[in-house]
Amino acid sequence: MKSESMTHVRHVYYIALSCCSLNLHAENNEQDSLFSLPFEQLMQVEVSVAAKKSEPWLTSSGTVYVISRDDIVNYGWRDLKEMLASIPNMDYFYQWSWLPGGQRGFTGNMSGTLMLIDGREVQNLLANEAFIMNNFPASRIERVEVLQGPNSTLYGGNATQGVINVITRLGQPENELHVVIGEANTRHGHVLLNHKNDSFSFSFSASYFDSAQDYKELKQFVFDTVRFSRSSKDPLRDLSSGEFRNDESNYTLDATLSYQDFYIGGNLSRGENVSGIEAVSYDYVTGDDSRRGYENYYIGQNFAPSESWQGTIELSYFREYKEKDRLTTLIPDGATRYQDLVQYNEREDIGPSDRIRLNTQWQYTSQENSDWIFGYDGWKTEIGRKVKYRNTGNGIMLFTPPEWAKDKEKSEKHALYAQYSKTLSWQERSLKISAGIRYNHQDFTNSAYLPRTSFVYQPDPSQAIKLTYGEAFRPPTIFEFDLVIDDNLESQTMKMAELNWSKRFTWHEISFANIAAIYQMKAENFYEKILDPQNGTWTTEITGEQKVSGFENQLKFHRGSWQGQIALRYVSPDKEQVNGQYQVLNIPKYKLKLGLVYNLNQHWRIAGFVDHWAENYTEANRINDVGTEITEIDGWTTVALHLYKQTPNYRLGFYIENVFDKLYYHGNARGTSPIQYLQAPRNLRVQFSYQF
């Protein structure tokens, strides 16, 4: 009996700390899909993103959305960016490369969302961004857990708007070969290999993506100086150019090996063209801008010295690369046409940048209904020096820009955190109280105590009412020290209060699971660069705040051969001032999403997903004048369809994106030119998977 108890404790803790134990996924395979389960087991689906430990979805602290493997297969989503479109309160704009955006009415470069792979942080070191390209193909992903709202107590910096935890398919019981072929010369291949023998496990996953991304609608769009650019470049651009190019290619590798309680593994991602149509030059050719991605290696061991104590110690090494090779343009005085320009290639490298990290976390279960989590997180980071290569009459000159903050290249961070949870039960009711705090010390920014507390009240086992308060921070990046004389900058901060009601119920033989939340979030300490005209130096001032109140709801349902979801969000952010006019910028106030899946017979299914965004407004350059103005971007609705056949050994699917071929746009929240981005026109792709 003792041995069985210890096995269960260890099993739970593996999920809580890193999702790295290979046999966990196999043992919990039946729990990975909300609707492949008997519905009475729905409330027992385990998530780990909210509390860094395994807990039932219904009683998890805060608002957590689960995108299951069943969802991914049914709707035919190709990659993570398509999956995130199903979350009711995600905002983004796709610039045909990486995916900037945010959560709950905040948007930008996705630096407020913490990105995890199997529970490990893969936020880039240079700009704190959750860098999402086509390097998260669906064939790589078993499940996605999205936590809404700040949680720096457990995760540290950059979890100001929420956390995305991508759980890979490492450790699944199947092996798979997956192929996707689509328009615009789009090709994707993926192989998954899993092996388990007693206490030894090995898993390997590799993917490759390549696409020309040269839809004719996209070519026409980048030539439109009213809808696309409104840039000072426009009069000098080569409007007759046929050289538009926006190729993207990337590949990923995931691998892990475990023996008993010891494990070792890594994740690697490489990508080409990370600027997309944001950086088309005077001849409409994008730069060969290579992030070259990252590589993350880790080694660790899990411990269970007693039934009350479990823990892990992990050492990891993260390396990041960034390279640019862009066509640089000089504009001679009096230039009036493209042929007057002087163009040459300029190369810029940053890196490699490195981080060595030590993380340990321990869980003490004092009683059956209470536990403690203690942890230490520390790292040393070295940002690579920025170096530019410039062709001159005397050959190639190498130099570092004078604004680069050389003294900020090396830094250290140390953090201690603790969280206590206790559940009080009487009759069928229960109240779970969770409270945690983190002390964070980091070079070049202020130290901080970061609390989070949550109350989860269950009047009966089918529903939960949750009240959550949390705080989070985002430390300044090395780019934010450019051209400043400040030795220290205070971190940007976020505070949130949230009320969540989650419930499962049955009506007319239809089974429902609902998540509803109202919240208010407040961000402070925005960075603004100001030039001192007397000294000719730049300083960074801490200015401004932004508040967002909102409501979000996701309803999943299932009856017989039908299943689906309905999601709604409404947000009310602070207005911004542009030339004396106040307006909410870059955020559609409401969104509506509808997904439906129908089983045609034993093997065939058809699914559709509808995504609707309301109109929104953005700041744009004036067309024939200096300064900026507020421009409206129309609302839009798109429909995607997926028809597929599933057998025990293979799956064949046909996916149509944007069925009605509606042109739709996302505003550019990061600048005034380009003012918006065209999303994908109608296109078809074929998917084939073989399990062995």
Side-chain angles (χ1 to χ4, degrees):
M1 192 68 183
K2 181 178 180 180
S3 176
E4 291 178 358
S5 175
M6 288 289 290
T7 301
H8 173 71
V9 168
R10 185 175 302 170
H11 167 82
V12 169
Y13 198 65
Y14 268 76
I15 296 179
L17 292 176
S18 63
C19 303
C20 64
S21 177
L22 302 183
N23 61 346
L24 278 180
H25 292 302
E27 293 171 4
N28 279 312
N29 187 48
E30 292 183 355
Q31 291 189 348
D32 287 333
S33 168
L34 294 182
F35 292 107
S36 65
L37 294 168
F39 199 76
E40 61 271 14
Q41 297 182 32
L42 172 60
M43 299 301 103
Q44 301 304 316
V45 171
E46 302 281 327
V47 297
S48 60
V49 69
K52 257 191 172 181
K53 65 177 182 179
S54 180
E55 58 183 355
W57 162 76
L58 181 65
T59 59
S60 60
S61 57
T63 299
V64 178
Y65 297 102
V66 178
I67 302 172
S68 68
R69 184 67 193 164
D70 193 48
D71 294 328
I72 296 168
V73 171
N74 280 336
Y75 294 113
W77 294 323
R78 187 185 71 194
D79 53 32
L80 180 60
K81 67 178 184 296
E82 293 185 1
M83 299 175 202
L84 294 178
S86 70
I87 302 299
N89 219 343
M90 291 289 302
D91 289 295
Y92 53 80
F93 50 101
Y94 183 48
Q95 51 196 27
W96 295 90
S97 54
W98 64 291
L99 193 74
Q103 295 173 256
R104 285 193 159 177
F106 293 90
T107 190
N109 64 345
M110 203 72 90
S111 62
T113 295
L114 185 67
M115 190 76 209
L116 309 176
I117 296 180
D118 290 334
R120 297 178 182 85
E121 180 180 338
V122 290
Q123 210 86 350
N124 71 49
L125 302 177
L126 295 172
N128 289 338
E129 297 158 333
F131 210 78
I132 301 171
M133 296 178 65
N134 289 290
N135 57 341
F136 286 94
S139 53
R140 184 188 184 194
I141 300 172
E142 180 65 23
R143 186 171 74 249
V144 181
E145 299 173 357
V146 178
L147 173 67
Q148 298 284 68
N151 191 352
S152 280
T153 302
L154 295 178
Y155 289 104
N158 308 315
T160 57
Q161 299 166 23
V163 181
I164 298 173
N165 185 22
V166 173
I167 299 171
T168 66
R169 300 181 68 197
L170 299 179
Q172 291 301 307
E174 74 270 14
N175 303 311
E176 183 179 87
L177 178 65
H178 184 81
V179 177
V180 178
I181 300 174
E183 296 183 40
N185 294 317
T186 300
R187 297 162 294 176
H188 163 65
H190 178 261
V191 62
L192 172 70
L193 301 174
N194 289 295
H195 173 75
K196 185 178 186 300
N197 182 16
D198 296 328
S199 56
F200 172 81
S201 298
F202 172 74
S203 290
F204 175 80
S205 169
S207 71
Y208 176 77
F209 173 86
D210 181 73
S211 178
Q213 301 187 139
D214 58 351
Y215 299 102
K216 63 179 177 60
E217 294 89 346
L218 188 62
K219 293 180 180 180
Q220 294 168 356
F221 174 62
V222 297
F223 279 80
D224 188 335
T225 58
V226 175
R227 302 207 65 140
F228 170 61
S229 182
R230 297 194 188 180
S231 169
S232 58
K233 296 179 179 180
D234 294 334
L236 299 176
R237 280 181 165 160
D238 183 10
L239 295 178
S240 63
S241 174
E243 299 298 322
F244 172 76
R245 176 171 55 84
N246 190 40
D247 306 69
E248 179 185 338
S249 61
N250 59 61
Y251 65 87
T252 66
L253 298 174
D254 303 297
T256 186
L257 178 152
S258 69
Y259 177 71
Q260 296 181 349
D261 292 326
F262 172 82
Y263 60 88
I264 185 171
N267 310 101
L268 183 146
S269 177
R270 293 284 187 270
E272 303 290 336
N273 182 17
V274 299
S275 294
I277 62 174
E278 180 184 44
V280 291
S281 58
Y282 288 86
D283 58 0
Y284 294 94
V285 177
T286 61
D288 292 324
D289 189 353
S290 169
R291 182 71 58 152
R292 284 191 62 192
Y294 58 82
E295 51 197 67
N296 186 40
Y297 306 105
Y298 53 87
I299 183 171
Q301 184 165 356
N302 294 282
F303 301 90
S306 71
E307 293 185 10
S308 300
W309 281 96
Q310 306 86 41
T312 189
I313 299 176
E314 182 173 296
L315 181 68
S316 63
Y317 172 71
F318 186 93
R319 169 165 279 203
E320 176 182 302
Y321 306 82
K322 189 175 191 298
E323 299 173 349
K324 290 182 181 179
D325 189 355
R326 287 184 176 172
L327 192 65
T328 299
T329 303
L330 296 179
I331 305 176
D333 292 339
T336 59
R337 56 179 186 159
Y338 174 77
Q339 288 75 12
D340 297 333
L341 303 178
V342 177
Q343 296 182 314
Y344 60 92
N345 274 54
E346 181 177 86
R347 183 177 175 87
E348 176 187 288
D349 291 348
I350 304 176
S353 300
D354 302 282
R355 178 185 69 203
I356 298 177
R357 185 172 194 169
L358 176 66
N359 184 285
T360 182
Q361 181 172 299
W362 294 82
Q363 182 176 345
Y364 173 66
T365 304
S366 56
Q367 302 173 16
E368 184 179 351
N369 59 355
S370 64
D371 66 76
W372 284 89
I373 288 177
F374 308 91
Y376 166 79
D377 186 12
W379 70 41
K380 289 186 176 181
T381 300
E382 183 169 356
I383 302 297
R385 181 71 50 87
K386 178 188 281 191
V387 177
K388 289 191 174 186
Y389 303 72
R390 180 168 294 174
N391 287 318
T392 67
N394 298 321
I396 298 177
M397 179 178 67
L398 282 67
F399 69 99
T400 295
E403 67 271 15
W404 185 251
K406 298 179 182 178
D407 59 329
K408 306 296 191 299
E409 291 176 340
K410 296 182 179 181
S411 64
E412 292 187 15
K413 187 202 81 171
H414 302 276
L416 295 170
Y417 60 91
Q419 178 173 278
Y420 175 69
S421 297
K422 183 176 181 63
T423 302
L424 307 173
S425 301
W426 65 99
Q427 298 176 350
E428 287 192 341
R429 302 184 180 100
S430 67
L431 175 65
K432 185 176 79 171
I433 304 171
S434 301
I437 193 166
R438 182 186 193 97
Y439 172 72
N440 200 88
H441 175 80
Q442 194 161 324
D443 290 342
F444 315 126
T445 191
N446 55 303
S447 299
Y449 289 93
L450 300 156
R452 191 172 192 267
T453 185
S454 177
F455 300 87
V456 180
Y457 171 63
Q458 285 192 268
D460 59 68
S462 69
Q463 64 178 316
I465 301 170
K466 312 177 188 182
L467 180 64
T468 304
Y469 174 81
E471 295 185 10
F473 77 107
R474 184 182 78 78
T477 69
I478 194 166
F479 292 123
E480 287 160 339
F481 283 106
D482 278 0
L483 295 171
V484 302
I485 60 174
D486 308 66
D487 291 328
N488 294 277
L489 288 176
E490 288 194 5
S491 296
Q492 296 181 6
T493 62
M494 183 78 77
K495 298 178 181 179
M496 178 199 72
E498 173 191 88
L499 179 63
N500 174 294
W501 178 56
S502 299
K503 182 176 176 61
R504 64 100 168 158
F505 59 96
T506 301
W507 179 76
H508 286 228
E509 299 183 348
I510 307 174
S511 300
F512 293 94
N514 190 73
I515 304 173
I518 57 174
Y519 64 90
Q520 184 179 76
M521 293 170 59
K522 180 180 179 180
E524 297 179 306
N525 293 358
F526 290 100
Y527 303 140
E528 182 179 357
K529 294 181 179 180
I530 298 176
L531 176 65
D532 183 339
Q534 294 182 347
N535 299 324
T537 57
W538 290 83
T539 60
T540 295
E541 292 190 6
I542 303 296
T543 61
E545 63 180 48
Q546 184 179 9
K547 290 183 292 185
V548 177
S549 300
F551 166 78
E552 60 190 69
N553 193 94
Q554 184 186 67
L555 177 69
K556 291 195 172 186
F557 54 89
H558 178 218
R559 185 183 188 278
S561 297
W562 289 92
Q563 66 186 60
Q565 59 178 296
I566 302 173
L568 170 70
R569 86 93 181 265
Y570 177 83
V571 295
S572 179
D574 287 342
K575 295 181 178 180
E576 299 180 49
Q577 183 180 10
V578 178
N579 296 329
Q581 183 178 354
Y582 288 87
Q583 183 60 260
V584 172
L585 298 181
N586 304 308
I587 302 293
K589 287 189 175 182
Y590 68 88
K591 296 181 183 178
L592 180 65
K593 302 167 189 293
L594 171 64
L596 282 175
V597 182
Y598 180 67
N599 296 334
L600 296 169
N601 54 41
Q602 183 181 359
H603 296 296
W604 284 93
R605 286 188 181 186
I606 187 169
F609 201 88
V610 180
D611 195 4
H612 171 73
W613 288 36
E615 74 282 351
N616 68 97
Y617 300 86
T618 192
E619 183 180 3
N621 291 332
R622 298 181 189 273
I623 298 177
N624 296 315
D625 199 359
V626 296
T628 62
E629 62 184 0
I630 294 177
T631 298
E632 179 178 347
I633 298 177
D634 294 336
W636 49 264
T637 303
T638 59
V639 179
L641 289 178
H642 183 224
L643 174 68
Y644 74 95
K645 181 179 182 180
Q646 176 82 55
T647 74
N649 296 110
Y650 74 87
R651 183 172 63 252
L652 176 65
F654 304 90
Y655 185 93
I656 304 177
E657 183 177 10
N658 195 0
V659 173
F660 299 109
D661 204 18
K662 177 178 174 60
L663 296 181
Y664 61 101
Y665 307 89
H666 292 165
N668 179 13
R670 301 177 66 228
T672 58
S673 180
I675 65 171
Q676 57 191 346
Y677 293 100
L678 174 72
Q679 302 307 296
R682 180 170 57 209
N683 63 94
L684 171 69
R685 60 178 182 254
V686 180
Q687 306 180 66
F688 177 78
S689 300
Y690 176 68
Q691 290 83 34
F692 58 96

